Amino acid sequence: MPADGLATEPASGIFDPVAARAEHLTPPEERPVSKKEEWLREKVLRPDFRITENELERAANPSRREKAARVKQLAVEAKKGIEPLVRPGERIEPVTTLFNVWTHEALPILPGETQTLQSRFHVFLRDHFTNQATHMDTRLIGVLTRVAGKFQARRIDVVSGYRSPKYNLMLRKKGHQVARDSQHTHGNAVDFRIRGVGTREVLHYVRSLRVGGVGFYPHSQFVHSDTGRVRYWTGS
């Protein structure tokens, strides 16, 4: 008998509320499910998406009108900064392909790959004379994309991108029409042409964008576009 005079139960008979609660909350063993029940469970979890063979075939081989509409849509999305989505079964075709006439490198502009395109854009437009690259103004991508959409151009020939101060000075000494503080030396300009499209047509459209300076070079057959102040001029 303890000192307080109270009798105690054997240790094995003491009620433990914590242990009882744990036993009560223990989940029961899961019963085996039938194949039908398993199929119904998976059906609920599956996304409700269906596409027919005809839709897949049409997406893989779009008509000329559908291609033109898609290019126009991508140009509008690029202007608004929207990442375009590729529909299931649709082949990812470039909006256009940039071709550097000096390095003979090609850079496709693919829908939905803005970040990858921007990182490659700087190197693609490097100075071909010194092989130096700079941080190009990526607003030029929007200009080129919108031009491609307007003329449904599958290829744009890039005549000049970044121009190092050294190369710019050399061109001036040789009598070329280049500005002393050219926008090319700041990575803010690109000269380009589109095969099969008149230079004057491209010129008028780029001017309508009012992004920056636009130069017309009818003899060399290219258009200059930069992101500086809005201004226009004609070269040789």
Side-chain angles (χ1 to χ4, degrees), residues 50-51 80 96 101 114 137 157 203 218:
R50 298 177 181 82
I51 188 167
K80 296 180 179 179
T96 190
V101 299
T114 302
D137 191 329
D157 288 343
L203 169 75

Side-chain angles (χ1 to χ4, degrees), residues 56-63 66-67 91:
L56 285 171
E57 180 67 23
R58 183 177 177 181
N61 300 286
S63 65
E66 289 173 332
K67 287 182 179 179
R91 293 180 298 180

Side-chain angles (χ1 to χ4, degrees), residues 6 22 30-31 36 44-45 47 62 65 71 74 80 84 102 104 138 147 157-159 174 192 207 222 229:
L6 297 177
E30 186 176 1
R31 67 176 180 85
K36 182 178 180 179
V44 172
L45 298 176
R65 179 177 298 178
V71 169
L74 292 172
K80 296 180 179 179
W102 294 101
H104 291 182
T138 53
V147 169
D157 288 343
V158 175
V159 179
K174 289 188 175 182
F192 63 94
R207 281 185 175 181
F222 68 78
R229 61 182 177 83

Side-chain angles (χ1 to χ4, degrees), residues 74 83-84 92-96 107-114 117 120:
L74 292 172
E83 293 282 356
I92 302 179
E93 296 186 359
V95 178
T96 190
L107 178 62
I109 298 180
L110 298 173
E113 295 192 1
T114 302
L117 173 62
R120 295 182 61 193

Side-chain angles (χ1 to χ4, degrees), residues 37-235:
E37 289 175 321
E38 185 176 356
W39 180 83
L40 290 173
R41 184 180 298 177
E42 290 180 356
K43 182 180 179 181
V44 172
L45 298 176
R46 282 197 302 265
D48 187 17
F49 176 79
R50 298 177 181 82
I51 188 167
T52 65
E53 291 294 332
N54 290 336
E55 290 173 325
L56 285 171
E57 180 67 23
R58 183 177 177 181
N61 300 286
S63 65
R64 182 175 298 180
R65 179 177 298 178
E66 289 173 332
K67 287 182 179 179
R70 181 62 171 157
V71 169
K72 185 177 294 185
Q73 176 189 355
L74 292 172
V76 171
E77 290 173 347
K79 179 182 177 182
K80 296 180 179 179
I82 301 174
E83 293 282 356
L85 298 176
V86 180
R87 294 186 294 270
E90 180 180 16
R91 293 180 298 180
I92 302 179
E93 296 186 359
V95 178
T96 190
T97 298
L98 307 181
F99 180 77
N100 191 313
V101 299
W102 294 101
T103 64
H104 291 182
E105 295 175 350
L107 178 62
I109 298 180
L110 298 173
E113 295 192 1
T114 302
Q115 295 298 326
T116 303
L117 173 62
Q118 289 181 357
S119 62
R120 295 182 61 193
F121 190 67
H122 310 307
V123 178
F124 176 77
L125 291 183
R126 67 188 182 277
D127 185 332
H128 70 275
F129 183 76
T130 63
N131 208 38
Q132 289 177 293
T134 191
H135 188 84
M136 300 295 299
D137 191 329
T138 53
R139 285 179 292 176
L140 297 171
I141 298 176
V143 173
L144 296 171
T145 302
R146 294 171 69 180
V147 169
K150 169 66 176 179
F151 298 102
Q152 300 181 27
R154 300 179 64 88
R155 166 176 165 173
I156 296 178
D157 288 343
V158 175
V159 179
S160 181
Y162 171 61
R163 192 183 299 154
S164 66
K166 177 181 179 180
Y167 183 49
N168 196 70
L169 179 60
M170 187 189 76
L171 292 177
R172 284 180 59 83
K173 288 182 177 180
K174 289 188 175 182
H176 292 274
Q177 290 182 324
V178 295
R180 184 186 302 276
D181 189 30
S182 171
Q183 290 291 327
H184 285 281
T185 63
H186 298 286
N188 297 335
V190 62
D191 300 340
F192 63 94
R193 66 169 69 100
I194 300 176
R195 294 186 180 183
V197 180
T199 310
R200 195 175 295 274
E201 289 183 69
V202 179
L203 169 75
H204 292 322
Y205 179 69
V206 178
R207 281 185 175 181
S208 70
L209 300 178
R210 297 188 64 81
V211 173
V214 182
F216 178 44
Y217 294 83
H219 179 72
S220 302
Q221 296 185 341
F222 68 78
V223 171
H224 166 104
S225 177
D226 65 52
T227 55
R229 61 182 177 83
V230 176
R231 64 207 187 285
Y232 310 118
W233 69 93
T234 299

Side-chain angles (χ1 to χ4, degrees), residues 15-29:
F15 175 75
D16 187 348
V18 176
R21 175 179 171 82
E23 183 178 353
H24 177 71
L25 295 178
T26 301
E29 294 184 2

